[in-house]
């Protein structure tokens, strides 16, 4: 039991951790922080390298000056011939000790005459730099910075200058004679020490900068994500049912798009909810009407008692029977609509000869039309075979022709015209009936909408016929339109593709 609690606890911690790190806020924070850190580190490396290069260059230049001065003094005191001069030796030792380095002096035979480490005295040094230095004189000055061993190496020629009279001078404009070279190798330690100090100081500044970046990144992430948090809170309130109002639209573009999209979704849902409520109340009303009539008829019969004549019983029972039929028809129509409203309604597509289909419909309606002396005319301008659901298309034509008869004048006519092009077939149902007022035209396809409620009920209408017809046409990806002139007649035009393009 304890182990279960532990497992679920650690799972919830893990999911919280995951949620935190997959949040846009964390990503944004990390992006700013890492960019800042990368900039800091790059600056650090660049400053460090630049400082090192400059420090080495300054040191080399200082040492070259000192070695040139020493070279002049070596010539002046004839050190290359007599290495026992205590003043010069002291100067050389001082130069070596003060710079924590090694000084080697060689003569023009590449022979070491002085080594402050006293290792190479009397030996020959044949390196590229020294040979080059002896050959080229002042131009042979050589310096090298060995990063790996932390040392600077310098080679400076010992130059004797003679004027035209052959006197020894130290001015550069006279003839140069290279008498030897001074080799100096000094340690980088002082530079390294100041570099370490600099590095520490930079690290402190970096710490301050990184802390500032963290604060700025956190504040920016909070500020930018605030509108999204607000949207989430608002949406949750709508979801919980505390409010149905549109949510506040923030100024941040991305958040504004989400809020606008959500508000339009909310409006759509409200419209759907309203129409659902209206539909339910319409259904209740429509279903209750025949029941109320039956109750009234039954109560009247009961109140009359046994004295009521048998003809009256028969009349009343016939009326009750009609009301039952009406109730039945409403329920049937409602079921048809519900089936068509399904998200993926099924169509039983077959190749159908539309002429035959229309003729069949007209044949069925003819007896009713004849009762009121209404003529049914069929005009087929083209033979049409289409891929359709026969039952549904037949229901569409039946509803339209029945309406043409129902809302017609005695002795009028209903004309059905069938035509087609290479893509669609068209069925026009034209009647010479009462017509539909202009302001009702856009509503006739709505469920339970009737222009004249009492007349429609009287003639057995449910107010669902055109809604069913429209649904069936839309299922075939077709269109249905109505045109009417009050008192003159109405024309319904149905246009349906010969072949329904099936979605992949
Ligand atoms: P109903 O069962 O009442 O006929 P419909 O959905 O078929 O229901 O038609 C809706 C309303 O449209 C009818 O009540 C009627 O007022 C009007 N209507 C439909 N067809 C015609 C027509 N051919 N001529 C005049 N009015 C019509």
């Amino acid at each position: 039991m304890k182990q279960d609690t532990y497992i679920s606890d650690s799972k919830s911690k893990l999911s919280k951790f995951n949620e935190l790190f997959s949040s846009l806020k964390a990503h944004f924070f990390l992006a700013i922080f890492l960019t800042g850190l990368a900039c800091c580190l790059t600056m650090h490396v660049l400053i460090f390298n630049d400082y090192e290069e400059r420090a080495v260059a300054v040191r080399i230049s200082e040492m070259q000056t000192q070695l040139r001065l020493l070279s002049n003094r070596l010539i002046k005191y004839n050190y290359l011939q007599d290495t026992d001069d205590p003043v010069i030796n002291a100067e050389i030792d001082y130069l070596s000790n003060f710079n924590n380095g090694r000084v080697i002096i060689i003569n023009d035979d590449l022979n070491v005459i002085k080594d402050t480490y006293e290792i190479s005295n009397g030996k020959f040094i044949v390196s590229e730099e020294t040979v080059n230095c002896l050959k080229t004189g002042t131009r042979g000055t050589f310096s090298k910075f060995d990063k790996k061993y932390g040392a600077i190496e310098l080679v400076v020629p010992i130059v004797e200058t003679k004027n035209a009279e052959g006197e020894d001078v130290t001015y550069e404009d006279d003839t140069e004679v290279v008498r030897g070279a001074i080799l100096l190798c000094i340690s980088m330690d002082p530079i390294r020490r100041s570099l370490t100090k600099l590095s520490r100081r930079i690290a402190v500044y970096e710490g301050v900068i990184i802390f500032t970046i963290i604060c700025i990144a956190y504040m920016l992430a909070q500020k930018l994500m605030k509108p999204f948090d607000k949207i989430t809170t608002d949406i949750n309130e709508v979801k919980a049912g505390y409010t149905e109002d549109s949510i506040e639209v923030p100024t941040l573009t991305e958040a504004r798009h989400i809020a606008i999209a959500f508000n339009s979704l909310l409006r759509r849902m409200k419209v759907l909810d309203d129409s659902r409520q209206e539909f339910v109340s319409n259904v209740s009303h429509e279903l209750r009407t025949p029941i109320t009539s039956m109750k009234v008829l039954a109560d009247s019969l009961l109140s009359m008692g046994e004295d009521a004549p048998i003809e009256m019983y028969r009349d009343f029972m016939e009326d009750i029977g009609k009301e039952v039929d009406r109730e039945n028809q409403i329920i049937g129509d409602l079921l048809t609509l519900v089936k068509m409203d399904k998200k993926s309604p099924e169509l039983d597509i077959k190749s159908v000869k539309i002429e035959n289909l229309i003729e069949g419909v007209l044949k069925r309606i003819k007896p009713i039309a004849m009762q009121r002396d209404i003529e049914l005319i069929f005009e087929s301008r083209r033979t049409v075979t289409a891929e359709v659901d026969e039952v549904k298309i037949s229901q569409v034509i039946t509803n339209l022709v029945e309406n043409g008869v129902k809302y017609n004048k005695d002795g009028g006519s209903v004309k059905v015209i069938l035509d087609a092009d290479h893509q669609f077939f068209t069925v026009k149902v034209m009647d010479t009936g009462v017509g539909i007022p202009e302001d009702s035209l856009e509503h006739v396809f709505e469920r339970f909408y009737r222009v004249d409620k009492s007349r429609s009920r009287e003639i057995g209408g449910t107010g669902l016929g055109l809604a069913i017809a429209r649904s069936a046409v839309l299922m075939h990806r077709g269109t249905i339109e109505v045109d009417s002139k009050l008192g003159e007649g109405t024309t319904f035009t149905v246009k349906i593709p010969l072949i329904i393009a099936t979605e992949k």
Side-chain angles (χ1 to χ4, degrees):
M1 187 72 180
K2 242 184 183 177
Q3 204 180 359
D4 280 0
T5 329
Y6 174 76
I7 290 171
S8 75
D9 265 11
S10 56
K11 262 188 189 167
S12 79
K13 265 183 203 159
L14 198 72
S15 72
K16 267 185 193 161
F17 184 79
N18 278 345
E19 197 179 307
L20 179 70
F21 276 88
S22 56
S23 76
L24 201 57
K25 207 185 274 181
H27 279 88
F28 188 74
F29 173 80
L30 270 179
I32 298 181
F33 173 66
L34 291 178
T35 314
L37 192 68
C39 288
C40 268
L41 293 178
T42 317
M43 290 277 284
H44 184 132
V45 173
L46 289 180
I47 291 174
F48 200 82
N49 284 348
D50 188 55
Y51 181 83
E52 190 179 51
E53 263 172 37
R54 273 162 192 273
V56 168
V58 169
R59 192 103 174 97
I60 287 174
S61 156
E62 274 173 14
M63 293 323 297
Q64 276 175 346
T65 313
Q66 285 193 30
L67 292 182
R68 272 199 206 103
L69 285 173
L70 180 67
S71 140
N72 284 344
R73 287 180 65 76
L74 294 182
I75 293 293
K76 195 172 177 187
Y77 288 93
N78 209 13
Y79 187 78
L80 297 173
Q81 274 75 45
D82 174 16
T83 53
D84 293 334
D85 189 323
V87 179
I88 300 295
N89 276 330
E91 275 182 32
I92 294 170
D93 287 339
Y94 176 76
L95 185 71
S96 163
N97 295 335
F98 184 75
N99 292 302
N100 192 18
R102 181 181 182 184
V103 179
I104 298 173
I105 295 170
I106 56 165
N107 61 18
D108 49 5
D109 295 330
L110 298 167
N111 195 0
V112 175
I113 56 167
K114 170 80 179 173
D115 177 4
T116 51
Y117 279 17
E118 295 188 349
I119 301 166
S120 309
N121 280 335
K123 290 183 185 167
F124 285 97
I125 288 185
V126 188
S127 69
E128 195 190 331
E129 293 83 33
T130 47
V131 172
N132 192 32
C133 183
L134 290 180
K135 259 200 228 160
T136 51
T138 20
R139 280 176 286 121
T141 303
F142 165 82
S143 63
K144 186 174 125 189
F145 166 43
D146 193 335
K147 221 172 184 174
K148 194 174 163 197
Y149 296 106
I152 298 172
E153 287 167 33
L154 286 149
V155 182
V156 171
I158 303 167
V159 181
E160 185 180 356
T161 48
K162 289 176 185 284
N163 64 13
E165 284 79 41
E167 294 162 344
D168 290 353
V169 289
T170 49
Y171 306 125
E172 302 228 335
D173 53 354
D174 287 85
T175 318
E176 288 180 344
V177 183
V178 181
R179 295 290 182 211
I182 309 171
L183 278 71
L184 174 69
C185 180
I186 52 168
S187 154
M188 276 275 297
D189 283 353
I191 294 176
R192 285 268 155 88
R193 274 197 293 278
S194 57
L195 273 176
T196 318
K197 266 188 203 162
L198 178 76
S199 180
R200 275 197 207 119
R201 194 170 291 173
I202 293 178
V204 172
Y205 293 144
E206 271 174 0
V208 175
I209 292 172
I210 288 171
F211 178 73
T212 317
I213 290 174
I214 290 177
C215 292
I216 292 173
Y218 180 76
M219 284 186 318
L220 266 178
Q222 286 286 95
K223 191 173 167 4
L224 276 176
M225 293 306 125
K226 210 172 172 184
F228 292 99
D229 292 342
K230 172 92 174 64
I231 288 177
T232 314
T233 319
D234 288 354
I235 290 178
N236 279 337
E237 279 188 5
V238 174
K239 196 179 90 186
Y242 299 141
T243 172
E244 281 186 359
D245 297 341
S246 302
I247 63 170
E248 203 182 303
V249 179
T251 40
L252 189 77
T253 312
E254 289 78 4
R256 195 174 65 233
H257 289 165
I258 296 176
I260 290 172
F262 179 78
N263 283 341
S264 64
L265 176 73
L266 200 66
R267 273 195 298 277
R268 207 173 114 76
M269 277 165 60
K270 266 187 201 162
V271 169
L272 281 177
D273 199 42
D274 288 351
S275 74
R276 188 181 55 85
Q277 275 179 14
E278 195 189 318
F279 180 64
V280 171
S281 85
N282 280 342
V283 168
S284 321
H285 178 76
E286 294 298 328
L287 290 177
R288 190 181 288 152
T289 314
I291 292 173
T292 315
S293 306
M294 283 188 268
K295 170 95 173 121
V296 171
L297 286 166
D299 282 353
S300 321
L301 272 182
L302 282 175
S303 66
M304 276 186 248
E306 286 165 13
D307 305 336
I310 186 84
E311 290 77 24
M312 191 171 261
Y313 265 103
R314 190 168 291 123
D315 274 0
F316 276 38
M317 287 316 283
E318 261 175 25
D319 286 348
I320 290 176
K322 273 184 199 157
E323 293 301 331
V324 171
D325 288 345
R326 230 173 98 66
E327 187 89 28
N328 220 2
Q329 198 183 340
I330 295 173
I331 293 170
D333 282 358
L334 275 173
L335 284 175
T336 314
L337 259 182
V338 168
K339 269 188 213 153
M340 287 185 183
D341 274 352
K342 269 195 206 163
K343 281 233 169 74
S344 48
E346 281 163 21
L347 280 178
D348 182 14
I349 303 286
K350 273 185 208 142
S351 192
V352 179
K353 277 204 161 178
I354 306 297
E355 270 172 310
N356 295 352
L357 184 145
I358 295 174
E359 274 164 2
V361 170
L362 293 182
K363 204 171 159 191
R364 261 179 275 132
I365 299 176
K366 201 162 189 175
I368 311 165
M370 272 167 62
Q371 283 171 11
R372 291 177 53 211
D373 201 18
I374 293 169
E375 193 185 1
L376 297 183
I377 310 156
F378 177 41
E379 183 185 321
S380 174
R381 294 185 181 164
R382 230 170 283 267
T383 343
V384 179
T385 308
E387 305 280 313
V388 291
D389 183 320
E390 191 172 2
V391 177
K392 292 200 171 68
I393 295 300
S394 157
Q395 199 161 18
V396 173
I397 312 289
T398 308
N399 282 351
L400 295 181
V401 178
E402 264 180 6
N403 279 353
V405 173
K406 274 195 290 185
Y407 303 103
N408 216 322
K409 297 163 196 162
D410 290 352
S413 70
V414 179
K415 188 173 183 181
V416 182
I417 304 172
L418 171 68
D419 202 352
D421 57 22
H422 62 288
Q423 257 188 315
F424 298 92
F425 71 90
T426 321
V427 181
K428 269 186 201 289
V429 181
M430 305 160 80
D431 66 58
T432 53
V434 292
I436 302 168
E438 213 179 318
D439 54 340
S440 295
L441 281 176
E442 57 178 315
H443 299 292
V444 288
F445 296 105
E446 289 168 16
R447 291 156 190 204
F448 297 115
Y449 183 84
R450 297 163 174 120
V451 178
D452 181 347
K453 278 195 188 332
S454 54
R455 169 136 196 226
S456 161
R457 277 211 192 93
E458 222 174 84
I459 52 183
T462 60
L464 293 171
L466 287 181
I468 292 173
R470 185 173 173 270
S471 291
V473 170
L474 289 184
M475 280 167 78
H476 285 81
R477 296 178 184 271
T479 55
I480 179 163
E481 281 165 14
V482 57
D483 191 23
S484 183
K485 261 204 178 139
L486 208 56
E488 285 184 23
T490 306
T491 304
F492 282 93
T493 312
V494 175
K495 196 173 173 184
I496 288 175
L498 292 169
I499 297 170
I500 303 178
T502 45
E503 280 173 40
K504 279 183 186 169

